[in-house]
Amino acid sequence: MATSLGSNTYNRQNWEDADFPILCQTCLGENPYIRMTKEKYGKECKICARPFTVFRWCPGTRMRFKKTEVCQTCSKMKNVCQTCLLDLEYGLPIQVRDTGLSVKDEVPKSDVNKEFYTQNMEREIANSDGTRPVGQLGKATSSSDMLLKLARTTPYYKRNRPHICSFWVKGECKRGEECPYRHEKPTDPDDPLADQNIKDRYYGINDPVADKLLKRASTMPRLDPPEDKSISTLYIGGLGDTVTDGDLKSHFYQFGEIRTITIVQRQQCAFIQFATRQSAEMAAEKSFNKLIINGRRLTVKWGRSQAARGKEGIKDGVSEMGTRLDPVPGLPGALPPPPALDEEAPANYFNLDPSTSPAVMNIALPPPPGINPPPPGFGPPMFHPMGPMAPPMPPPMSMRPPGQIHYPSQDPQRMGAHAAHGSRHGD
């Protein structure tokens, strides 16, 4: 007769009593000061069904409360978070991690075999230093390029948001802005991501999130080397203010001899020129879409020759970094070329009528009657009256044709004219 789980002395002695949970940065939250509640033997583990210490906390403002779902023994066996069951190193589902590392770790699902397997894993964990995973995962030494490309480098706090308010979906929520749940349209129930199971994620089978990531990995872009064999320069983008030339050199020197490293701080990019084309191809293959320096994911592309960069940038509107620039609306078009200048035609800088004689254009008007001329040196520059370059003197007032009137005081028909004023003084 099989003994029940509660009456098993071994299991009762090995119930978990922990002081702090094993969590990823996303589940822990962005607030460094959080308050947790600790309940000894509060629930049973959803994998091994043994009671364990349950921790409950709120990861931040306007976030839902979270709690641990599996015990620490099950968490250490798979090296996953106790709450979201994602890998602690890459932030990926177990199915994606095992596929990338070519690991096949089948945990028994029956009660007796699962209990025996858990006891062996606990013994192996007790004999280890506690910093490295155990089991088949601990034996996998090499990392995968696919995992480095898919790995999440920054926490995804959006995963801690509250659930959707079911009353709001039915149009019956009366809390308004005070409702702790989200007032958003729910996802499609036929979406595979809407059907997730915690046991399937732990065992690495039928995980819709893992299927989506594996499909993304199969369709990832590739960085093909250019046809020009003389190009041995790589473009590194997204440096920020933390990545220096020393950091780039310490990473890329392993692929071959580096000739120059040029950092363009304004555009937060760098150009690394290798001594040989073979070294550049190896660096591009090992670093494309998986280069992380100082916690920043950097962009790796092939450089271009100066001649091709200049021609394509002018012709097709492509920037120096290789990105296509959209035309800015509202800017004027290109200016037409200037007309060909005729050397024989005189330069007309003031848009004057060419039929006007130079003598008329250079005539200086005399001052109006009654106003003394300015003393020498204070007026406009004048030529010497007897000089050879002096313009012709203007004719006197009596010899001017009757139609030329320069000032209102010279018109006898206007009120206030000089002639009428003088006749009244004569009277």
Side-chain angles (χ1 to χ4, degrees):
M1 179 178 177
T3 57
S4 63
L5 186 62
S7 61
N8 193 327
T9 307
Y10 179 85
N11 286 335
R12 191 182 306 131
Q13 291 177 353
N14 287 273
W15 285 356
E16 180 187 301
D17 184 10
D19 294 329
F20 196 81
I22 301 175
L23 302 174
C24 61
Q25 183 62 37
T26 300
C27 293
L28 195 59
E30 57 183 342
N31 187 4
Y33 306 101
I34 60 175
R35 180 179 299 172
M36 281 188 176
T37 60
K38 174 183 175 182
E39 184 180 3
K40 286 186 178 182
Y41 320 129
K43 287 184 177 296
E44 64 178 20
C45 176
K46 294 186 177 180
I47 303 300
C48 64
R50 294 187 302 175
F52 72 106
T53 304
V54 178
F55 295 89
R56 189 173 182 269
W57 72 98
C58 182
T61 308
R62 301 292 296 178
M63 301 292 179
R64 72 175 187 272
F65 276 82
K66 309 192 75 173
K67 61 182 179 66
T68 53
E69 305 290 346
V70 298
C71 65
Q72 292 196 2
T73 302
C74 295
S75 173
K76 292 177 181 179
M77 284 193 302
K78 292 284 190 175
N79 193 32
V80 295
C81 172
Q82 283 188 262
T83 300
C84 63
L85 269 68
L86 295 180
D87 184 74
L88 293 174
E89 184 176 357
Y90 302 104
L92 299 173
I94 297 176
Q95 184 176 349
V96 178
R97 183 199 63 191
D98 292 349
T99 303
L101 297 178
S102 300
V103 174
K104 190 175 181 181
D105 190 8
E106 296 182 354
V107 179
K109 298 181 181 181
S110 63
D111 294 338
V112 177
N113 293 338
K114 183 167 51 178
E115 183 179 335
F116 178 74
Y117 181 84
T118 304
Q119 293 176 8
N120 293 336
M121 287 294 104
E122 282 185 341
R123 192 178 299 110
E124 186 175 351
I125 292 172
N127 296 332
S128 64
D129 55 358
T131 59
R132 301 179 60 183
V134 296
Q136 295 293 332
L137 182 60
K139 300 176 183 179
T141 56
S142 62
S143 61
S144 172
D145 296 342
M146 182 189 70
L147 296 181
L148 295 177
K149 294 177 182 179
L150 295 176
R152 184 180 292 275
T153 58
T154 57
Y156 184 65
Y157 298 119
K158 196 175 180 180
R159 199 170 63 210
N160 299 332
R161 294 181 304 169
H163 297 293
I164 295 177
C165 180
S166 60
F167 288 90
W168 182 84
V169 174
K170 294 182 286 187
E172 299 177 359
C173 183
K174 300 180 181 179
R175 295 184 177 183
E177 297 181 356
E178 298 179 356
C179 183
Y181 298 97
R182 282 188 294 156
H183 288 183
E184 296 180 8
K185 181 180 178 181
T187 58
D188 187 7
D190 297 333
D191 188 4
L193 296 178
D195 186 14
Q196 301 183 26
N197 189 284
I198 190 170
K199 289 189 176 181
D200 289 344
R201 172 163 294 177
Y202 185 83
Y203 292 124
I205 56 174
N206 301 328
D207 190 355
V209 179
D211 295 339
K212 179 181 178 181
L213 293 176
L214 292 176
K215 290 180 181 178
R216 183 189 301 175
S218 61
T219 58
M220 272 189 173
R222 298 173 54 187
L223 184 63
D224 298 327
E227 298 179 358
D228 189 359
K229 298 297 182 181
S230 62
I231 298 177
S232 61
T233 305
L234 295 182
Y235 162 80
I236 312 298
L239 298 182
D241 300 331
T242 59
V243 182
T244 61
D245 55 349
D247 299 332
L248 296 175
K249 186 176 182 180
S250 62
H251 173 79
F252 284 99
Y253 84 96
Q254 58 182 323
F255 305 113
E257 182 182 354
I258 298 176
R259 183 170 298 172
T260 57
I261 297 179
T262 305
I263 294 182
V264 184
Q265 195 64 34
R266 182 178 180 182
Q267 298 177 352
Q268 295 185 354
C269 65
F271 295 91
I272 302 178
Q273 184 180 11
F274 288 88
T276 61
R277 173 61 179 263
Q278 183 179 3
S279 302
E281 291 182 359
M282 185 182 301
E285 180 183 358
K286 299 294 184 181
S287 304
F288 176 68
N289 208 13
K290 54 188 175 182
L291 178 59
I292 302 174
I293 298 179
N294 294 342
R296 294 183 64 91
R297 181 180 290 274
L298 306 183
T299 304
V300 179
K301 296 181 181 179
W302 278 98
R304 294 184 297 170
S305 60
Q306 295 291 340
R309 187 187 311 171
K311 291 180 181 179
E312 295 180 7
I314 296 175
K315 187 191 327 183
D316 300 333
V318 179
S319 68
E320 294 184 357
M321 299 299 105
T323 57
R324 182 169 297 276
L325 303 177
D326 298 331
V328 180
L331 294 181
L335 296 177
L341 297 178
D342 190 1
E343 297 181 357
E344 299 179 358
N348 188 3
Y349 297 105
F350 300 100
N351 297 327
L352 299 177
D353 189 4
S355 61
T356 308
S357 61
V360 176
M361 291 187 294
N362 294 331
I363 292 177
L365 298 178
I371 301 178
N372 297 326
F378 290 92
M382 299 291 290
F383 294 98
H384 196 273
M386 299 304 294
M389 298 297 295
M393 296 296 293
M397 296 293 295
S398 59
M399 297 180 62
R400 288 187 181 182
Q404 293 184 359
I405 298 174
H406 296 280
Y407 295 98
S409 60
Q410 298 175 5
D411 188 3
Q413 298 180 2
R414 292 176 63 92
M415 183 178 296
H418 181 70
H421 185 68
S423 63
R424 281 198 288 281
H425 276 285
D427 295 341

